[in-house]
Amino acid sequence: MAVGVFDSGLGGLTVNQAIAARMPDLPLVYLGDNAHTPYGVRDADDIYDLTCRGVERLWEEGCDLVILACNTASAAALRRMQESWLPEGKRVLGVFVPMIEALTERRWGDNSPPREVQVKHVALFATPATVASRAFQRELAFRAIGVDVEAQPCGGVVDAIEQGDELLAEALVTSHVEALKRRMPHPEAAILGCTHYPLMQAAFQKALGPDVTVYSQANLVAESLEDYLKRRPEMLGSGTRSRFLTTGDPVRVSGKATQFLRHGISFDQA
Ligand code: DGL
């Protein structure tokens, strides 16, 4: 009864960790496509092909349900996968919707027409591919009206994290927040629309200031997965053990994961 968690690299570990904390008995198989990270500078076809390959690898581990713990894959590939690729009995869920439901104060399955919500000025930080897809704005428009979204493509941040260069990642975060604030001086909320960014959450909060509410996805996705599995227990696959897999170099990836998550994580070759 394992669930798969997929990301281009280390970022999805933030989601994996939140799921494990919420459902400690649920076996999770994590796959980081570190050999091909970052996805955020690739085109949609490339992201689609890599994501399908990663998800297939998780099926081999007995995971019928895979969480795309990657906004870039969720934005660029998920809809196409669901419409034309997924075989019977398999499911792939993205990370966008739980966050947008939280921002728009909705419960799962609330399909009522879009309405006014509390927040009016939202800053979105995401990879260039996610920003270019406008998937966040599209999902938001289904649920809320009158929300002004200013999106900042945060080039270089995922790469710096994957290289283990925290100082560079922090400097880039500061400059991306400053660039956004020139266009939207007083956001009320900030969305970390890339699962790598919670690894730099303190830097985002510092640059944004204490008055800005920072939404990050990990806990929201874990909560929504728990809810989903209550409704669809048959989606628990046949796998029985938790594992961390990477398409990259397991020794190097284990070292970086341990550095960022601040506890020992050991990856195997995918
Ligand atoms: N963690 C991925 C996301 O949420 C990073 C994508 C990348 O590899 O650029 O978008």
Side-chain angles (χ1 to χ4, degrees):
M1 48 164 226
V3 169
V5 180
F6 175 78
D7 183 41
S8 63
L10 299 173
L13 290 171
T14 57
V15 174
N16 198 89
Q17 182 168 262
I19 297 172
R22 199 170 180 100
M23 288 171 276
D25 298 329
L26 176 66
L28 294 172
V29 183
Y30 185 85
L31 172 59
D33 190 10
N34 301 76
H36 301 106
T37 194
Y39 279 15
V41 291
R42 294 175 182 273
D43 68 33
D45 283 342
D46 211 6
I47 295 167
Y48 174 79
D49 290 341
L50 291 169
T51 306
C52 290
R53 220 187 296 162
V55 169
E56 279 173 337
R57 178 68 187 84
L58 285 165
W59 290 342
E60 286 167 22
E61 293 290 314
C63 303
D64 292 341
L65 171 64
V66 174
I67 308 297
L68 292 189
C70 176
N71 291 270
T72 308
S74 301
L78 180 59
R79 186 186 282 199
R80 188 169 156 198
M81 291 166 84
Q82 287 172 333
E83 283 174 0
S84 58
W85 179 77
L86 265 186
E88 188 77 20
K90 308 282 188 208
R91 282 301 293 268
V92 179
L93 300 176
V95 283
F96 260 53
V97 170
M99 184 174 63
I100 290 173
E101 285 176 344
L103 187 75
T104 56
E105 308 143 29
R106 280 182 185 240
R107 297 292 306 158
W108 186 89
D110 175 354
N111 292 325
S112 58
R115 56 178 180 254
E116 294 242 4
V117 294
Q118 190 118 34
V119 285
K120 300 282 181 238
H121 303 285
V122 176
L124 169 68
F125 297 95
T127 66
T130 299
V131 171
S133 77
R134 298 185 62 79
F136 177 85
Q137 287 90 331
R138 195 174 55 235
E139 292 294 338
L140 186 67
F142 288 134
R143 297 168 178 83
I145 43 176
V147 183
D148 183 15
V149 177
E150 192 63 56
Q152 175 67 28
C154 297
V157 176
V158 167
D159 229 359
I161 291 172
E162 291 287 329
Q163 299 305 321
D165 193 339
E166 289 186 60
L167 280 179
L168 174 60
E170 194 175 331
L172 287 169
V173 165
T174 307
S175 89
H176 286 305
V177 170
E178 277 166 12
L180 180 125
K181 279 175 139 183
R182 283 197 283 278
R183 304 193 305 275
M184 179 183 272
H186 302 294
E188 299 152 59
I191 302 287
L192 302 190
C194 168
T195 54
H196 280 68
Y197 299 170
L199 299 169
M200 287 290 132
Q201 183 147 350
F204 275 101
Q205 188 75 68
K206 187 169 158 214
L208 285 160
D211 296 337
V212 180
T213 309
V214 176
Y215 286 79
S216 75
Q217 291 161 315
N219 290 330
L220 298 170
V221 172
E223 200 179 314
S224 127
L225 174 63
E226 187 176 42
D227 191 47
Y228 178 84
L229 289 174
K230 275 189 200 137
R231 285 180 281 111
R232 302 290 308 274
E234 74 280 8
M235 289 316 300
L236 287 163
S238 60
T240 51
R241 67 181 180 123
S242 290
R243 301 185 70 188
F244 293 94
L245 301 172
T246 177
T247 57
D249 169 12
V251 175
R252 195 178 169 280
V253 172
S254 301
K256 302 290 173 221
T258 301
Q259 172 192 346
F260 278 104
L261 274 289
R262 314 221 191 293
H263 64 86
I265 294 184
S266 177
F267 276 81
D268 296 323
Q269 191 72 59

